[in-house]
Amino acid sequence: MKKFILSAVLCGGVLVASSSMLTVHADDTLTGTTAVNSEVVKGDVTLKVDEATDFGQKALSSVVDFGSKDINYTVTDYSGDVKGFTISAKLTDTDDKRSLKIGDVELSDQEAPVVTKASNAVGQNTDKVAAALKYTGVEKVQKYASSIEWSLTKGTTAQIGE
């Protein structure tokens, strides 16, 4: 019986020892650190202009005045330099019978400033310009098409000071 009790005690001791070896306790960690990195860089400066403007129809006469229409534009500026801008325009073709004005500027095949802003906001700057179309001395009934080429120039401190 002593052998049986001794075997039971040894076996129980081995079981208790093996079960206590399987239970592992780690130290509690209650704090941590995360590095957060970021960088602000210069972004794009873009010009978006209405792709088409339809002046409608007018009857043939010695002077065909189509009146004026607004052309919408958006200057998106994430450059970090918000000192203004100039939008210039020119016609991609010549027609001595056509008069196409943006504001007070008569367009030709030479680039001319039509919008000048002394300042602008970071992000989207949306506005519109008035375009006036007139034909003088046309003799044909037909569709007339013109194409305006736009360009954007960022303002500088010297330009704004003038």
Side-chain angles (χ1 to χ4, degrees):
M1 178 86 172
K2 283 185 178 182
K3 283 187 181 182
F4 180 71
I5 293 175
L6 184 60
S7 295
V9 169
L10 285 176
C11 190
V14 170
L15 285 176
V16 169
S18 67
S19 67
S20 65
M21 280 193 256
L22 295 176
T23 306
V24 178
H25 293 284
D27 291 338
D28 291 336
T29 303
L30 302 177
T31 61
T33 304
T34 300
V36 177
N37 299 309
S38 62
E39 181 180 8
V40 176
V41 298
K42 278 193 166 190
D44 292 333
V45 179
T46 59
L47 171 65
K48 180 182 177 192
V49 182
D50 284 347
E51 292 181 8
T53 300
D54 187 357
F55 280 89
Q57 298 177 340
K58 292 284 181 174
L60 180 65
S61 64
S62 59
V63 176
V64 183
D65 189 348
F66 285 93
S68 67
K69 293 277 185 185
D70 286 335
I71 297 176
N72 299 297
Y73 68 86
T74 301
V75 174
T76 304
D77 187 352
Y78 290 107
S79 69
D81 175 8
V82 291
K83 296 178 182 168
F85 57 84
T86 300
I87 299 175
S88 299
K90 71 176 185 175
L91 292 166
T92 59
D93 63 336
T94 57
D95 185 343
D96 60 347
K97 298 175 190 255
R98 174 190 58 212
S99 169
L100 180 55
K101 290 184 177 181
I102 303 290
D104 295 329
V105 178
E106 176 89 29
L107 296 187
S108 69
D109 59 352
Q110 301 297 311
E111 191 172 280
V114 293
V115 175
T116 302
K117 297 283 185 175
S119 64
N120 59 293
V122 173
Q124 291 190 342
N125 298 270
T126 302
D127 208 345
K128 57 189 171 192
V129 292
L133 178 64
K134 184 189 301 183
Y135 282 91
T136 304
V138 293
E139 298 169 349
K140 273 172 131 182
V141 174
Q142 70 180 47
K143 287 188 176 187
Y144 291 89
S146 300
S147 179
I148 302 171
E149 187 175 284
W150 304 88
S151 67
L152 174 70
T153 307
K154 286 291 294 160
T156 64
T157 307
Q159 288 174 326
I160 292 167
E162 292 177 346

